[in-house]
Amino acid sequence: MSMNDLIPAIKKVLEEVDVVLGWTRSPAAGVAVPARFHTPDEADGAIFDSTCIHNLAVHLPRLKNSKVGIVAKGCDARSIVQLIVEGEVSRDRIRVIGVPCPGVIDVKRAWRCYGFGKKIEDAGGRVHMEGRSVPREEILLHKCHQCRDQEPVIVDLAAGDVTSMTPPPPPDKSGIRERFAAMSITERREFWREQFSRCIRCYACREACPLCFCRDVCSMQTREPHWTGGQVNAIESEMAQQVRISHMAGRCTGCEECERACPVGIPLMLLLEEQNKIIEELFAYRAGASLEDKPPLLTYDINRDGGWR
Amino acid sequence: MRFIAEDAIPRLLEHLAGGGRTVWAPRVVRDSVNTVLFAPWSAGEPVETGAYTHLSAKAALLPPTERLFGFGYLQAAGEERIELEPEEPEESPVLFGARVCDARALAALDALFFPASGGFNDPGYAGRRSGLTVITLACTTCDSACFCSSFGKGPAETDGSDLILYPVANGFLAEPVTDAGSELVRLDLFQDSRLEKPELAVTARVETAGLREKFIDLFSDIDLWRQVSEKCLSCGFCAYACPACHCFNIFDEMSGDREGERCRSWDSCMFYSYTLETSGHNPRPEIAHRYRNRIGHKFSYFPANRGEILCTGCGRCIRGCPAGVDIREVIRTVQER
Ligand code: SF4
Ligand code: SF4
Ligand code: SF4
Ligand code: SF4
């Protein structure tokens, strides 16, 4: 795909909607940043490349009163579908522009390893950062390695040829997944105690998550219900996060936005991936995989399933 | 000037920690991808002197949660009394490896919390601040998020530091700023040196002159604030990473129903709950209202009330914003109106 396909697609969709959510290039950082396009002129600044890491679906529930177009990678499309399935977003007020995704670069990891703001060039199977270069598969986001969703499940207009790519094998660069899998339950307890001891309760994880819709009345923060204390310490912070994560059961699409947003690098995806795996095994359900599927934990019927005992 | 070798730094930290003081230093977090944070240091642990920290050093003075006092309900002679258990004052810590942008933010925090600088008497803050020692690492390089050159002397600023360490080959040149700093360089960990001070970094700049009044003029232009905050997700990261942001929330946590503790925790004006009133009314319902406050407090109200800008150009909010919001672009957009 080139911008030759994307920009006209956005302009076309703009004829029907108030705003299109997409990406433009950050003048300071050189990578993609989210942008809103209201006019054809603004749309000339649209880009799509492998630094388009953000999941723009997070803005849809916040734009309830507008008709919205959205540029979506395959994984983003799953979040959109899940929002529709849950009734958070209505199908008729959105237009999805599907883009063919080559797998996105873990920009946060790249910058934390090689220096913030280093120019990122993705060419010839390698990612170049001002003199350094690493094989592409070493610096892709983890989810891209297992991607089963290159083809968006919901598309109104495809910008270019939305075809599949072969996901490279899943390496584990930090080794953390393997080490975590090998830990005993006691070691895991210790591990999470240490991880959450540096949580600052900024709730960036929650705000970046397209499916976390309680937001302003989230139990991580409210006094009513008062499920977690307001102290910022390992125990309360973990409790707050565990509540959030269990509320994501059968809803999380594994988009990795929460982990990307976390400023102190807590590997939240270890918990979510585990939970997503269990949900898929138990209910044969992948959140956002189809507009027809019913989320297993939203189908409880008080009459049929026996009511509260 | 005096010089300290790179490999003498652990001994310097041991000396500083000798009197039982907590030494905060930049450390790479275990099991993370190069997350660098200030944390209390203990002997034998490595210190990171080359990288930026992803959060500022303010936690050393304003902890994310501070216990203000404990309380309990007592029955005595048929009457119920409330017993308070005050917190013991903490000893002043040492802050090693702060950057100029951390050190100079102290002036803003002092203006609010430290009576010696005209602030209120905040016992927790003032207790930690009164004997604080700040050893700053001067910046010879910077990245594209840094913009401290926009303020005062930029990377050459000495405000807030006791001792400044300039990186040179195999170690640091040490320039004392205060008496506490002069005393440190007399330690025999330091030697005389004829080396020249290195060139300091030159960062990006934004123009903040006139912003104080400009902001007031543009306060009611809600479309402008919607435009500049359209990417923002309304999390607490930028305030929590910032060396100058200092808002807090006070609350009681009970253990059982007879005793508890009163605490304060960091709070952010970007949260909906920050201004939510008991009636259910919220004067800042939209992200745009909240982001406007973020800019107004930093560049207009606080300068008007306390004489300090609440930004030192450290760039942390830019590096870590999950939505790619760049406060410099916001300032430019506002200035161009
Ligand atoms: S983003 Fe990270 S630090 Fe912030 S609340 Fe979530 S887990 Fe804690
Ligand atoms: S919990 Fe994390 S991975 Fe799951 S949908 Fe939300 S942001 Fe994405
Ligand atoms: S500007 Fe960025 S860091 Fe700050 S509240 Fe908005 S999304 Fe969070
Ligand atoms: S507003 Fe941003 S750049 Fe300014 S001091 Fe705070 S974190 Fe640093």
Side-chain angles (χ1 to χ4, degrees):
Chain A
M1 182 205 64
S2 68
M3 298 323 137
N4 298 345
D5 299 315
L6 179 64
I7 294 169
I10 295 178
K11 290 185 178 172
K12 181 126 205 317
V13 166
L14 267 177
E15 291 166 13
E16 296 180 70
V17 300
D18 309 315
V19 58
V20 173
L21 304 170
W23 288 271
T24 190
R25 199 168 303 289
S26 151
V31 292
V33 282
R36 292 185 184 186
F37 308 112
H38 303 86
T39 63
D41 275 356
E42 287 177 4
D44 284 328
I47 62 160
F48 183 79
D49 66 16
S50 55
T51 64
C52 291
I53 42 180
H54 323 78
N55 186 344
L56 303 176
V58 71
H59 292 280
L60 292 177
R62 290 170 155 113
L63 287 166
K64 278 215 156 72
N65 302 320
S66 323
K67 278 203 94 176
V68 184
I70 177 169
V71 184
K73 310 184 285 292
C75 50
D76 307 337
R78 274 181 64 198
S79 306
I80 300 172
V81 167
Q82 186 66 18
L83 285 166
I84 295 171
V85 166
E86 293 186 12
E88 280 300 301
V89 165
S90 95
R91 178 70 185 92
D92 3 304
R93 65 166 190 90
I94 58 163
R95 290 292 173 269
V96 181
I97 302 169
V99 282
C101 176
V104 289
I105 293 164
D106 190 339
V107 174
K108 176 177 165 186
R109 173 193 294 267
W111 281 349
R112 286 199 173 184
C113 293
Y114 304 105
F116 175 88
K118 286 267 187 298
K119 192 156 180 278
I120 291 178
E121 270 171 293
D122 182 2
R126 295 184 73 85
V127 174
H128 308 269
M129 284 158 292
E130 295 176 21
R132 306 238 197 169
S133 125
V134 291
R136 206 167 180 271
E137 54 271 22
E138 274 178 27
I139 202 93
L140 285 184
L141 268 185
H142 185 76
K143 67 174 173 185
C144 300
H145 295 291
Q146 308 151 323
C147 183
R148 292 182 258 169
D149 308 298
Q150 290 94 9
E151 228 171 296
V153 262
I154 180 173
V155 186
D156 295 299
L157 194 67
D161 187 13
V162 184
T163 49
S164 301
M165 63 155 199
T166 317
D172 187 358
K173 290 128 317 192
S174 68
I176 203 157
R177 283 180 173 80
E178 270 157 50
R179 265 191 302 130
F180 182 70
M183 283 179 202
S184 69
I185 293 295
T186 329
E187 286 164 338
R188 288 186 182 192
R189 181 90 305 292
E190 285 305 303
F191 176 79
W192 289 117
R193 201 46 46 93
E194 184 177 325
Q195 293 294 323
F196 282 103
S197 68
R198 63 178 192 274
C199 171
I200 49 172
R201 294 184 74 172
C202 65
Y203 310 123
C205 47
R206 173 189 82 198
E207 298 300 339
C209 174
L211 273 310
C212 262
F213 59 72
C214 302
R215 299 206 199 283
D216 301 336
V217 290
C218 168
S219 81
M220 290 169 98
Q221 222 176 352
T222 57
R223 308 291 291 176
E224 285 176 9
H226 189 182
W227 289 345
T228 48
Q231 299 100 326
V232 181
N233 61 38
I235 294 171
E236 299 297 342
S237 305
E238 181 180 348
M239 182 64 193
Q241 188 63 239
Q242 296 292 11
V243 173
R244 188 187 87 82
I245 286 175
S246 49
H247 286 175
M248 296 310 296
R251 311 182 48 238
C252 169
T253 62
C255 72
E256 285 186 32
E257 283 292 84
C258 49
E259 185 173 302
R260 183 181 69 80
C262 179
V264 296
I266 299 177
L268 297 169
M269 289 313 293
L270 292 179
L271 294 167
L272 288 151
E273 281 165 9
E274 193 73 19
Q275 179 169 274
N276 291 348
K277 206 170 84 202
I278 294 171
I279 293 283
E280 198 167 343
E281 280 165 12
L282 283 180
F283 302 104
Y285 181 79
R286 286 177 81 223
S290 131
L291 278 167
E292 275 73 51
D293 286 355
K294 287 242 165 21
L297 302 181
L298 294 184
T299 50
Y300 178 84
D301 178 337
I302 197 161
N303 299 315
R304 196 195 63 204
D305 298 328
W308 307 108
R309 276 182 241 273
Chain B
M1 216 182 278
R2 301 282 274 173
F3 169 88
I4 182 166
E6 175 104 54
D7 55 17
I9 294 290
R11 273 177 289 145
L12 174 65
L13 299 187
E14 274 163 37
H15 169 84
L16 292 162
R21 293 168 78 187
T22 305
V23 177
W24 289 70
R27 311 240 321 269
V28 180
V29 172
R30 196 155 65 116
D31 286 332
S32 78
V33 181
N34 281 359
T35 298
V36 186
L37 300 174
F38 283 99
W41 172 88
S42 37
E45 285 173 334
V47 172
E48 173 59 58
T49 53
Y52 299 104
T53 54
H54 293 103
L55 303 176
S56 76
K58 73 178 169 195
L61 288 160
L62 284 175
T65 292
E66 180 166 17
R67 190 181 132 113
L68 301 175
F69 53 80
F71 59 85
Y73 297 94
L74 297 180
Q75 287 289 356
E79 261 182 68
E80 189 162 77
R81 264 188 324 113
I82 295 179
E83 185 109 318
L84 299 186
E85 178 211 333
E87 273 300 278
E88 291 300 318
E90 272 173 59
E91 212 177 331
S92 299
V94 176
L95 189 52
F96 175 86
R99 299 280 168 176
V100 161
C101 51
D102 288 303
R104 66 173 306 171
L106 292 172
L109 300 178
D110 289 351
L112 195 63
F113 295 124
F114 197 39
S117 304
F120 298 99
N121 184 12
D122 184 273
Y125 180 90
R128 287 178 287 266
R129 176 70 174 105
S130 53
L132 178 77
T133 307
V134 181
I135 302 176
T136 300
L137 283 169
C139 294
T140 49
T141 58
C142 65
D143 68 28
S144 67
C146 295
F147 64 109
C148 73
S149 297
S150 314
F151 307 98
K153 290 191 248 137
E157 188 61 66
T158 56
D159 246 28
S161 304
D162 293 293
L163 178 65
I164 303 201
L165 299 180
Y166 296 90
V168 288
N170 306 319
F172 303 91
L173 284 177
E175 183 175 56
V177 180
T178 63
D179 292 347
S182 307
E183 209 173 293
L184 282 174
V185 297
R186 284 199 285 271
L187 294 171
D188 52 17
L189 294 169
F190 293 83
Q191 303 117 45
D192 285 328
S193 165
R194 287 140 147 319
L195 286 173
E196 294 279 317
K197 267 210 276 189
E199 288 275 325
L200 294 179
V202 180
T203 76
R205 293 177 65 98
V206 286
E207 190 49 74
T208 55
L211 196 49
R212 186 166 141 183
E213 297 75 23
K214 188 100 196 212
F215 174 82
I216 301 294
D217 291 344
L218 292 170
F219 183 87
S220 309
D221 186 352
I222 192 66
D223 286 338
L224 168 69
W225 302 109
R226 285 189 182 127
Q227 180 203 326
V228 297
S229 66
E230 65 180 16
K231 289 198 273 282
C232 173
L233 300 168
S234 192
C235 70
F237 165 70
C238 50
Y240 291 1
C242 178
C245 278
H246 50 254
C247 285
F248 55 80
N249 186 16
I250 293 187
F251 54 91
D252 292 347
E253 291 295 353
M254 303 295 293
S255 29
D257 56 3
R258 304 299 294 167
E259 57 182 51
E261 53 183 16
R262 177 156 298 178
C263 303
R264 70 171 172 194
S265 286
W266 288 353
D267 201 354
S268 165
C269 61
M270 291 310 304
F271 291 137
Y272 179 84
S273 59
Y274 183 87
T275 45
L276 180 61
E277 296 168 9
T278 322
S279 64
H281 172 68
N282 195 335
R284 294 182 202 148
E286 285 180 40
I287 293 177
H289 298 128
R290 309 202 278 277
Y291 199 84
R292 174 178 68 188
N293 180 73
R294 177 166 173 78
I295 299 297
H297 190 218
K298 286 190 174 298
F299 299 100
S300 189
Y301 320 139
F302 201 82
N305 295 336
R306 303 252 153 209
E308 297 285 341
I309 289 182
L310 286 180
C311 175
T312 64
C314 75
R316 287 188 181 88
C317 58
I318 302 166
R319 285 181 206 103
C321 172
V325 175
D326 186 333
I327 195 168
R328 299 169 299 187
E329 285 171 31
V330 177
I331 296 170
R332 279 186 205 115
T333 309
V334 170
Q335 292 284 49
E336 278 161 18
R337 273 301 150 101

